[in-house]
Amino acid sequence: MSHKKRKAPECDILMDKRLATDIVQRQEQNLFTGRDFVADCAFEIMCNVLCRLDFETISECLQVSRTWQCRISAVSDIWRKIEFTTRNPWLDKQPLSAFSFVSEHVEEVCFDSLPENLAICIEALADHELPKLRSLKLISSGSSFRSGTKLVRPIYSTITRFKKALKELHLVTDDNSPLCIKAILSRCPNLTAIKVVNNRFSDRGEELTKPHSSLLSIEIGGAFIKIPKILGIIRSIPKIRHVVIDTFQIDDLLPDILQHCPQLSMIGNQPLAFQHIKDNILQSSTKSEGNEGIQCIAFEHLSRVQCVLPLLEKARPTLKYIYLRISKFSRADPGWKLLSSFSIPQLTELHLVDHTNSLISNIAPVIQHFPSLKAVHLENVNVRWTTQLRRTVEEIFAALMGLEHLSALSLTEFDLRSQTFVQLLEHCRELNSLTLLSIVRCMNLTPSAVHLATSIQSLEYLHFTDSLGSICEADMNEFARMIEHHPRLHHLKLTHLELSDIAARSISKSKSLRNLYFSKVELPSTTMQLLWSKITMNYIMDDDFRWVMYH
């Protein structure tokens, strides 16, 4: 629903999630007053309130009266995606009864519970007809107090029941439920994406009896993945475009995967990297008739960079995104120097994460070799800063100044006590092309650098995580004043700092701010109420990690 300007102060109460929950609870207890909130209010306002509630609360609303049941079950938007998360060993089955009234609207279902409760949720789901169900996520979180918990049979029967419409399947199960990927794929011929995390795969390594023609993405994770078991499955998927195998033995898999997957677009062992572009790459690869080549590689815990150099050589003509995370157990690797010798003119995004000092000295040559970079994310973990390393950091900032199309910059655990960093921010302000700036757990961030970063008029995302603790109140008030008058800033993230009433009042007056994230921020109650009163924001998260949703 599109955002409309506030016409009356009474609209404020509809925008707070907690107040919306209180409205529903009061209506259940005070129906004898003669005024029914659901029956009397406009349909759009009712939808706006219900969209702020969780699945359990909405399920309780269905039990209030027949009027509530008819009106609420008719709102298809709130039933398209159902997320049911519980950590209670004694499961309340009442919310699961909602599927009886809204089964024709459900398109995505996510169950996140203990293993014994997850089996109950799966069985309850299988009792209903869900003709539009296209995405199913079953997550078994936590350890089971019942040693004999089995999820295999309920999972198999459920995916068999919904196999016609099911397109996406995520399974995260415990060690007591060994899954067979071959059995899952044979039961779901229309799947396009599958993700399975399990430590006891029962696959024997043989290929499928019939090639799976629709699967485009496969993600496999587990502590004890057997290489031969995985290769047999991958050979049976001729159109596979996205392969993520979360294992330390990815080096042994690369030659076989490249040989049997000619249409590959994304490959790696880091499932979280580049999730924001995964769907776009898969859609573009599906629409194109020919093979566009490998566009994204994402590897972590590498013992050496040289193991991915053959992959880089093959993907050189089409590669656009690189994510490399070096293990803390690795030593100096000559592969970094070889990486800077590759010519990849179309590379646009680069993530480099290092647990040692072997990478940081090679970052500047790598950045200089890829002048077309638009997004750079650099992270150094547990680095002992010396005079030589600080000089190396100055070289990195100088190399970043040479990127003419830089639009996103993320720095984690860097020492920013450098005049070159200030010059980099001045350069970004002059280019006016930087839209994202993230500074996470960085040391020696000066107030002048903070003010320079905020003065970049093109910024839309600004994140300061564990980096503003040394900023005094006067400088923080000036920072908030600049946020107030920023023309394009939509997302602001602040952690580990003190925010005064003056600063909060300035932030609340921002006309462009839409998303605000606070974590471990010392805020008086009056300050938080002041921020809550700002309806133009979408989300606010306070110290208790409660999301408050707006419009």
Side-chain angles (χ1 to χ4, degrees), residues 13-239:
I13 197 172
L14 301 178
M15 301 304 158
D16 192 333
K17 177 181 178 181
R18 294 175 301 174
L19 294 180
T21 306
D22 293 339
I23 291 175
V24 175
Q25 293 176 352
R26 287 199 303 269
Q27 287 297 324
E28 289 184 81
Q29 299 174 0
N30 303 321
L31 287 177
F32 63 90
T33 58
R35 181 172 178 81
D36 191 342
F37 163 74
V38 173
D40 295 345
C41 73
F43 184 77
E44 291 184 355
I45 298 179
M46 182 194 67
C47 296
N48 199 358
V49 174
L50 294 176
C51 289
R52 302 337 186 212
L53 305 178
D54 53 22
F55 175 64
E56 292 88 342
T57 305
I58 300 179
S59 300
E60 293 177 0
C61 295
L62 292 174
Q63 309 298 324
V64 174
S65 65
R66 291 186 178 180
T67 303
W68 282 44
Q69 184 182 109
C70 294
R71 296 206 69 185
I72 295 177
S73 60
V75 184
S76 60
D77 292 341
I78 64 177
W79 300 111
R80 289 176 181 173
K81 184 176 182 179
I82 294 179
E83 296 182 2
F84 184 35
T85 303
T86 177
R87 299 294 185 271
N88 193 342
W90 293 273
L91 178 67
D92 183 10
K93 299 182 181 179
Q94 188 273 333
L96 300 176
S97 61
F99 287 101
S100 303
F101 310 103
V102 298
S103 58
E104 68 275 8
H105 302 310
V106 179
E107 297 181 6
E108 302 180 26
V109 174
C110 178
F111 287 142
D112 186 353
S113 180
L114 297 175
E116 57 274 5
N117 293 338
L118 185 60
I120 299 176
C121 296
I122 295 174
E123 293 175 356
L125 184 67
D127 293 338
H128 303 91
E129 292 289 342
L130 304 176
K132 297 182 180 180
L133 184 63
R134 59 179 179 82
S135 176
L136 179 60
K137 300 179 181 179
L138 304 176
I139 303 173
S140 174
S141 57
S143 59
S144 173
F145 62 85
R146 299 178 185 176
S147 59
T149 301
K150 299 294 182 181
L151 295 174
V152 177
R153 289 186 178 180
I155 289 177
Y156 287 170
S157 61
T158 301
I159 61 178
T160 304
R161 181 179 180 85
F162 305 117
K163 63 180 181 180
K164 292 184 179 180
L166 200 60
K167 299 294 183 181
E168 183 180 359
L169 180 62
H170 288 202
L171 301 176
V172 181
T173 60
D174 60 347
D175 294 344
N176 293 326
S177 306
L179 295 174
C180 179
I181 301 179
K182 177 181 177 181
I184 296 174
L185 294 179
S186 61
R187 285 172 168 82
C188 303
N190 298 325
L191 274 182
T192 58
I194 182 173
K195 178 179 180 180
V196 182
V197 179
N198 189 277
N199 288 337
R200 292 180 58 192
F201 291 105
S202 60
D203 295 270
R204 298 180 179 178
E206 67 272 12
E207 300 181 8
L208 300 177
T209 55
K210 183 179 179 181
H212 202 289
S213 58
S214 62
L215 194 65
L216 299 176
S217 172
I218 182 169
E219 298 183 20
I220 303 175
F224 306 103
I225 297 179
K226 301 298 183 181
I227 300 300
K229 297 180 179 180
I230 305 302
L231 289 178
I233 301 297
I234 295 178
R235 293 192 187 102
S236 306
I237 311 174
K239 296 183 180 180

Side-chain angles (χ1 to χ4, degrees), residues 495-514:
T495 66
H496 289 85
L497 54 88
E498 295 183 7
L499 200 63
S500 63
D501 288 336
I502 298 177
R505 191 176 300 275
S506 299
I507 293 177
S508 66
K509 294 179 181 178
S510 173
K511 296 182 179 180
S512 61
L513 203 59
R514 294 294 178 268

